[in-house]
Amino acid sequence: MTKFVSVGKILNFHGIKGEAKVGFTKNQAEFFCSLNKVFVKIEHEYRPLNIETVRLHKNIALVKFEGINSINDLMEYKGAFLYVEEATIREALDEDEFLIDELVSLEVFDEKGVKQGFVVGVSNNGANDLLSVKTKSKNIVLVPFVKAIVTDVNLKERKIIINNIEGLIE
């Protein structure tokens, strides 16, 4: 079964010729603009939408979809999330990039092999990604997802090794 990953949302229409204002994940403009096709989920079915053109305007993408030529054609999709197949995302990932779903629930160990907790979420503070780690004391701490701190991510062994600098995880 094909897995789909959300890459944006149709926020509104732009003009009268069926162009859509699409919000997308921060720092992913280049990836979003490279897409030829996305999927929209209607009821329980993923329907393909072929992209004719994409142009960036401020923090959104203005997208013209094939076969959507008016506001009326676009209205049924307003507010809909846009998806791509997981394989499409994987092809675009660099060696040290991961999907959030892959990181959530991984156990976190320090460089000495002592378990510090497990990942419960991933966020971004504008400068870098942050792992939300639930510690043994049930606290949630934010660990910057940078090479100096996260030294290894091993998906097969389902663990992350961190350089537990003083005060990071108590």
mmCIF file of all heavy atoms in Angstrom, residues 122-144:
data_model
loop_
_atom_site.group_PDB
_atom_site.id
_atom_site.type_symbol
_atom_site.label_atom_id
_atom_site.label_comp_id
_atom_site.label_asym_id
_atom_site.label_seq_id
_atom_site.Cartn_x
_atom_site.Cartn_y
_atom_site.Cartn_z
ATOM 1 N N VAL A 122 9.013 16.348 16.788
ATOM 2 C CA VAL A 122 10.039 17.155 16.137
ATOM 3 C C VAL A 122 9.410 18.509 15.818
ATOM 4 O O VAL A 122 8.276 18.579 15.354
ATOM 5 C CB VAL A 122 10.552 16.491 14.836
ATOM 6 C CG1 VAL A 122 11.615 17.345 14.165
ATOM 7 C CG2 VAL A 122 11.079 15.088 15.116
ATOM 8 N N SER A 123 10.152 19.576 16.101
ATOM 9 C CA SER A 123 9.669 20.918 15.785
ATOM 10 C C SER A 123 10.815 21.718 15.183
ATOM 11 O O SER A 123 11.927 21.202 15.034
ATOM 12 C CB SER A 123 9.120 21.608 17.042
ATOM 13 O OG SER A 123 10.114 21.690 18.042
ATOM 14 N N ASN A 124 10.545 22.970 14.866
ATOM 15 C CA ASN A 124 11.573 23.820 14.287
ATOM 16 C C ASN A 124 11.466 25.193 14.911
ATOM 17 O O ASN A 124 10.375 25.750 15.011
ATOM 18 C CB ASN A 124 11.397 23.911 12.764
ATOM 19 C CG ASN A 124 12.513 24.661 12.094
ATOM 20 O OD1 ASN A 124 12.658 25.860 12.272
ATOM 21 N ND2 ASN A 124 13.316 23.954 11.323
ATOM 22 N N ASN A 125 12.602 25.739 15.337
ATOM 23 C CA ASN A 125 12.600 27.060 15.971
ATOM 24 C C ASN A 125 12.998 28.175 15.000
ATOM 25 O O ASN A 125 13.251 29.295 15.423
ATOM 26 C CB ASN A 125 13.518 27.073 17.201
ATOM 27 C CG ASN A 125 14.981 26.904 16.854
ATOM 28 O OD1 ASN A 125 15.354 26.801 15.686
ATOM 29 N ND2 ASN A 125 15.826 26.857 17.863
ATOM 30 N N GLY A 126 13.070 27.856 13.727
ATOM 31 C CA GLY A 126 13.469 28.835 12.725
ATOM 32 C C GLY A 126 14.939 28.712 12.355
ATOM 33 O O GLY A 126 15.330 28.993 11.240
ATOM 34 N N ALA A 127 15.768 28.300 13.313
ATOM 35 C CA ALA A 127 17.195 28.127 13.051
ATOM 36 C C ALA A 127 17.514 26.670 12.727
ATOM 37 O O ALA A 127 18.327 26.379 11.858
ATOM 38 C CB ALA A 127 18.016 28.580 14.254
ATOM 39 N N ASN A 128 16.900 25.742 13.456
ATOM 40 C CA ASN A 128 17.143 24.323 13.223
ATOM 41 C C ASN A 128 16.002 23.488 13.800
ATOM 42 O O ASN A 128 15.153 23.987 14.526
ATOM 43 C CB ASN A 128 18.493 23.873 13.806
ATOM 44 C CG ASN A 128 18.651 24.221 15.264
ATOM 45 O OD1 ASN A 128 19.110 25.312 15.568
ATOM 46 N ND2 ASN A 128 18.274 23.340 16.168
ATOM 47 N N ASP A 129 16.013 22.201 13.465
ATOM 48 C CA ASP A 129 15.014 21.289 13.998
ATOM 49 C C ASP A 129 15.357 20.950 15.441
ATOM 50 O O ASP A 129 16.532 20.955 15.836
ATOM 51 C CB ASP A 129 14.960 20.008 13.159
ATOM 52 C CG ASP A 129 14.391 20.259 11.773
ATOM 53 O OD1 ASP A 129 13.488 21.095 11.651
ATOM 54 O OD2 ASP A 129 14.855 19.604 10.816
ATOM 55 N N LEU A 130 14.316 20.631 16.199
ATOM 56 C CA LEU A 130 14.475 20.257 17.604
ATOM 57 C C LEU A 130 13.764 18.933 17.838
ATOM 58 O O LEU A 130 12.608 18.762 17.436
ATOM 59 C CB LEU A 130 13.848 21.322 18.518
ATOM 60 C CG LEU A 130 14.402 22.737 18.395
ATOM 61 C CD1 LEU A 130 13.476 23.725 19.099
ATOM 62 C CD2 LEU A 130 15.797 22.799 18.995
ATOM 63 N N LEU A 131 14.455 18.004 18.498
ATOM 64 C CA LEU A 131 13.832 16.758 18.910
ATOM 65 C C LEU A 131 13.212 16.971 20.283
ATOM 66 O O LEU A 131 13.878 17.457 21.197
ATOM 67 C CB LEU A 131 14.870 15.631 19.000
ATOM 68 C CG LEU A 131 15.631 15.274 17.728
ATOM 69 C CD1 LEU A 131 16.690 14.214 18.032
ATOM 70 C CD2 LEU A 131 14.684 14.790 16.656
ATOM 71 N N SER A 132 11.950 16.618 20.442
ATOM 72 C CA SER A 132 11.313 16.637 21.765
ATOM 73 C C SER A 132 11.532 15.260 22.359
ATOM 74 O O SER A 132 11.033 14.263 21.841
ATOM 75 C CB SER A 132 9.816 16.926 21.646
ATOM 76 O OG SER A 132 9.604 18.203 21.106
ATOM 77 N N VAL A 133 12.315 15.221 23.432
ATOM 78 C CA VAL A 133 12.693 13.949 24.054
ATOM 79 C C VAL A 133 12.039 13.851 25.424
ATOM 80 O O VAL A 133 12.201 14.736 26.262
ATOM 81 C CB VAL A 133 14.232 13.838 24.185
ATOM 82 C CG1 VAL A 133 14.631 12.553 24.900
ATOM 83 C CG2 VAL A 133 14.884 13.908 22.809
ATOM 84 N N LYS A 134 11.297 12.752 25.630
ATOM 85 C CA LYS A 134 10.715 12.480 26.948
ATOM 86 C C LYS A 134 11.757 11.707 27.740
ATOM 87 O O LYS A 134 12.172 10.618 27.359
ATOM 88 C CB LYS A 134 9.418 11.688 26.818
ATOM 89 C CG LYS A 134 8.667 11.572 28.124
ATOM 90 C CD LYS A 134 7.277 11.031 27.894
ATOM 91 C CE LYS A 134 6.449 11.198 29.143
ATOM 92 N NZ LYS A 134 5.043 10.840 28.883
ATOM 93 N N THR A 135 12.183 12.303 28.860
ATOM 94 C CA THR A 135 13.264 11.724 29.652
ATOM 95 C C THR A 135 12.733 10.673 30.628
ATOM 96 O O THR A 135 11.524 10.505 30.787
ATOM 97 C CB THR A 135 13.988 12.821 30.450
ATOM 98 O OG1 THR A 135 13.073 13.386 31.387
ATOM 99 C CG2 THR A 135 14.540 13.902 29.527
ATOM 100 N N LYS A 136 13.673 10.014 31.317
ATOM 101 C CA LYS A 136 13.310 9.020 32.323
ATOM 102 C C LYS A 136 12.471 9.641 33.435
ATOM 103 O O LYS A 136 11.641 8.978 34.031
ATOM 104 C CB LYS A 136 14.570 8.372 32.908
ATOM 105 C CG LYS A 136 15.327 7.530 31.893
ATOM 106 C CD LYS A 136 16.540 6.866 32.498
ATOM 107 C CE LYS A 136 17.691 7.844 32.438
ATOM 108 N NZ LYS A 136 18.959 7.250 32.886
ATOM 109 N N SER A 137 12.679 10.934 33.704
ATOM 110 C CA SER A 137 11.912 11.622 34.751
ATOM 111 C C SER A 137 10.599 12.183 34.215
ATOM 112 O O SER A 137 9.945 12.978 34.884
ATOM 113 C CB SER A 137 12.756 12.727 35.381
ATOM 114 O OG SER A 137 13.120 13.667 34.393
ATOM 115 N N LYS A 138 10.205 11.775 32.998
ATOM 116 C CA LYS A 138 8.952 12.149 32.349
ATOM 117 C C LYS A 138 8.887 13.610 31.899
ATOM 118 O O LYS A 138 7.838 14.117 31.546
ATOM 119 C CB LYS A 138 7.733 11.841 33.247
ATOM 120 C CG LYS A 138 7.671 10.425 33.769
ATOM 121 C CD LYS A 138 7.197 9.474 32.706
ATOM 122 C CE LYS A 138 6.935 8.102 33.309
ATOM 123 N NZ LYS A 138 7.762 7.062 32.803
ATOM 124 N N ASN A 139 10.005 14.314 31.938
ATOM 125 C CA ASN A 139 10.072 15.681 31.421
ATOM 126 C C ASN A 139 10.289 15.641 29.915
ATOM 127 O O ASN A 139 10.871 14.691 29.391
ATOM 128 C CB ASN A 139 11.220 16.462 32.067
ATOM 129 C CG ASN A 139 10.985 16.704 33.530
ATOM 130 O OD1 ASN A 139 9.861 16.861 33.979
ATOM 131 N ND2 ASN A 139 12.070 16.732 34.304
ATOM 132 N N ILE A 140 9.858 16.696 29.233
ATOM 133 C CA ILE A 140 10.129 16.832 27.800
ATOM 134 C C ILE A 140 11.225 17.882 27.657
ATOM 135 O O ILE A 140 11.080 19.002 28.149
ATOM 136 C CB ILE A 140 8.887 17.295 27.020
ATOM 137 C CG1 ILE A 140 7.702 16.362 27.251
ATOM 138 C CG2 ILE A 140 9.214 17.461 25.538
ATOM 139 C CD1 ILE A 140 7.702 15.094 26.459
ATOM 140 N N VAL A 141 12.318 17.496 27.004
ATOM 141 C CA VAL A 141 13.403 18.438 26.742
ATOM 142 C C VAL A 141 13.591 18.566 25.233
ATOM 143 O O VAL A 141 13.329 17.629 24.491
ATOM 144 C CB VAL A 141 14.735 18.023 27.415
ATOM 145 C CG1 VAL A 141 14.604 18.000 28.916
ATOM 146 C CG2 VAL A 141 15.215 16.687 26.915
ATOM 147 N N LEU A 142 14.031 19.747 24.818
ATOM 148 C CA LEU A 142 14.273 19.991 23.398
ATOM 149 C C LEU A 142 15.756 19.823 23.107
ATOM 150 O O LEU A 142 16.594 20.471 23.734
ATOM 151 C CB LEU A 142 13.809 21.394 23.018
ATOM 152 C CG LEU A 142 12.312 21.660 23.193
ATOM 153 C CD1 LEU A 142 11.986 23.109 22.860
ATOM 154 C CD2 LEU A 142 11.476 20.720 22.354
ATOM 155 N N VAL A 143 16.064 18.959 22.164
ATOM 156 C CA VAL A 143 17.442 18.668 21.785
ATOM 157 C C VAL A 143 17.653 19.169 20.363
ATOM 158 O O VAL A 143 16.987 18.700 19.434
ATOM 159 C CB VAL A 143 17.732 17.152 21.868
ATOM 160 C CG1 VAL A 143 19.134 16.836 21.369
ATOM 161 C CG2 VAL A 143 17.515 16.633 23.283
ATOM 162 N N PRO A 144 18.558 20.149 20.170
ATOM 163 C CA PRO A 144 18.823 20.636 18.810
ATOM 164 C C PRO A 144 19.305 19.499 17.904
ATOM 165 O O PRO A 144 20.214 18.744 18.268
ATOM 166 C CB PRO A 144 19.920 21.678 19.018
ATOM 167 C CG PRO A 144 19.794 22.087 20.447
ATOM 168 C CD PRO A 144 19.337 20.854 21.182
#
